[in-house]
Amino acid sequence: MILGIGTDLANIERIQGVLDRHGDRFRNRVFTATELAKAARRKDEAGTLAKRWAAKEACSKALGTGLRMGISWRDMAVDNLRSGQPVMTLSGWAAERLATMTPAGYSALVHVTLTDDHPWAQAFVVIEALPDQPLPDSLR
């Protein structure tokens, strides 16, 4: 079952402007060390961070809170599998919120997809609850 859906669109040039004005203060407030390392290895740091910004916004919407109620930017982190597929990891209050949303007998799975076409970066997040036990054949 779907527990939440969120989307966000970020302007890469706006993120570049924030990086130019606030530098590491902004980087360290919003992004994890893993996210910053990934962006530092990329030619387009602002584009990489803009996609992650959009993912965090989208995730907060999927959690039903927006960026309020105690969620920290760094409570939501985007990494990539070896295949390149993005994955979202929640910690802190975001993980607590996810736990309260997830019905008993289910486990939550956070799906994230990212895209960009300069000057735009976009993310979609879908939070799905999967039963802990396999469904009987009669319910499939």
Side-chain angles (χ1 to χ4, degrees):
M1 86 180 68
I2 302 299
L3 299 179
I5 300 172
T7 185
D8 193 65
L9 184 66
N11 185 291
I12 296 168
E13 293 169 358
R14 178 175 165 256
I15 296 298
Q16 182 64 62
V18 174
L19 288 168
D20 293 343
R21 281 189 308 281
H22 302 288
D24 286 342
R25 185 170 153 232
F26 170 69
R27 284 179 185 91
N28 295 325
R29 180 175 160 252
V30 175
F31 302 102
T32 66
T34 301
E35 290 170 319
L36 292 172
K38 167 80 72 185
R41 291 190 305 267
R42 298 269 174 95
K43 180 179 176 184
D44 182 14
E45 177 193 26
T48 299
L49 294 178
K51 285 187 280 190
R52 279 146 180 78
W53 171 281
K56 292 167 187 269
E57 286 274 6
C59 185
S60 72
K61 293 171 185 175
L63 289 168
T65 63
L67 283 162
R68 57 182 175 79
M69 296 175 59
I71 289 182
S72 164
W73 287 101
R74 293 167 50 103
D75 286 349
M76 301 165 287
V78 178
D79 200 357
N80 295 86
L81 300 176
R82 293 186 81 135
S83 65
Q85 176 184 348
V87 292
M88 176 76 68
T89 303
L90 304 183
S91 62
W93 197 91
E96 291 173 22
R97 170 69 180 153
L98 181 61
T100 64
M101 294 172 58
T102 306
Y106 286 78
S107 296
L109 179 60
V110 180
H111 302 276
V112 61
T113 187
L114 310 171
T115 191
D116 65 286
D117 187 5
H118 196 86
W120 301 107
Q122 186 172 32
F124 288 94
V125 171
V126 175
I127 301 174
E128 178 183 21
L130 300 170
D132 291 336
Q133 301 296 320
L135 291 172
D137 288 338
S138 62
L139 296 177
R140 288 187 195 166

